[in-house]
Amino acid sequence: MSNRLQRLSKKAPAGWDTVLPTLEMFDNRMKDAVNESHEGKRKHETTWPIHRINYEKSRYVYELYYNKQEISRELYDFCIREKVVDGNLMAKWKKPGYEFLCSLAAINKGSTNFGTTSVCRVPLRLRSGKIAPSVTTGCISCASCDKGAPIWWNSRLPQDEGRSGGKGREAEAEQEEEDAEIERRAAMLRGDGDGDAGNKRARVD
């Protein structure tokens, strides 16, 4: 158990023992994501797992209280107050259109070149060309109207050495494969048949 969670256990309200194992699991995942080597990765990809883990950890507590009603308001507020979860992000989920917002970074207009929100906020049906994840968060879509939102870049973040050194062509082929898979999934979510068309578009691009 992390030292922080251990300290919180001494003053946590009833029900803490029920959520503790899962919170601990998320903490371990976050620690691994932060400490993971960045070698062979694009610079922006290194933060994608962090945004996703923060979302999933916060969503876990949010769902337990609002949808499953398995924890008390006292425990819910305790988790926010002690910054166990992202209270600011959770507050956004209560607003229409932001029910599945992936990260506060996605709506921070100051972090983009043109002063706009991240591309993942645009519904898939309104996009054209190749579907790609947000450079900032790694989220493909967190628009409330898109089924399965948030849709993350989850086709295995590059772990191998193929993107560096003398394996450039292998790396390019691998990247094209991943892009084609994202396009196929996006096409299915848009309702474009079985996604084969998405694969063809990705190959053409």
Side-chain angles (χ1 to χ4, degrees), residues 100-174:
F100 302 104
L101 179 66
C102 64
S103 170
L104 291 175
I107 55 174
N108 179 10
K109 296 182 179 180
S111 64
T112 61
N113 294 332
F114 302 102
T116 59
T117 55
S118 293
V119 66
C120 59
R121 297 298 301 148
V122 180
L124 292 173
R125 60 185 172 77
L126 298 181
R127 296 192 222 173
S128 59
K130 184 184 294 184
I131 300 296
S134 161
V135 171
T136 303
T137 66
C139 174
I140 295 173
S141 174
C142 57
S144 298
C145 59
D146 284 336
K147 184 179 179 181
I151 305 162
W152 298 94
W153 169 282
N154 62 352
S155 2
R156 299 183 308 276
L157 289 175
Q159 302 287 339
D160 54 280
E161 300 174 357
R163 295 200 171 188
S164 59
K167 297 185 178 181
R169 292 195 63 80
E170 288 182 23
E172 287 178 15
E174 187 174 290

Side-chain angles (χ1 to χ4, degrees), residues 12 41 79 95:
K41 291 185 179 180
C79 289
K95 298 182 178 181

Side-chain angles (χ1 to χ4, degrees), residues 85-102:
V85 292
D86 191 336
N88 291 327
L89 178 60
M90 294 161 82
K92 287 292 184 184
W93 293 339
K94 301 174 188 176
K95 298 182 178 181
Y98 294 88
E99 292 91 345
F100 302 104
L101 179 66
C102 64

Side-chain angles (χ1 to χ4, degrees), residues 35-54:
N35 294 330
E36 189 175 8
S37 172
H38 297 170
E39 185 178 355
K41 291 185 179 180
R42 298 169 180 171
K43 183 178 179 181
H44 57 259
E45 288 179 1
T46 60
T47 61
W48 289 359
I50 294 172
H51 286 289
R52 179 169 185 172
I53 294 167
N54 181 66

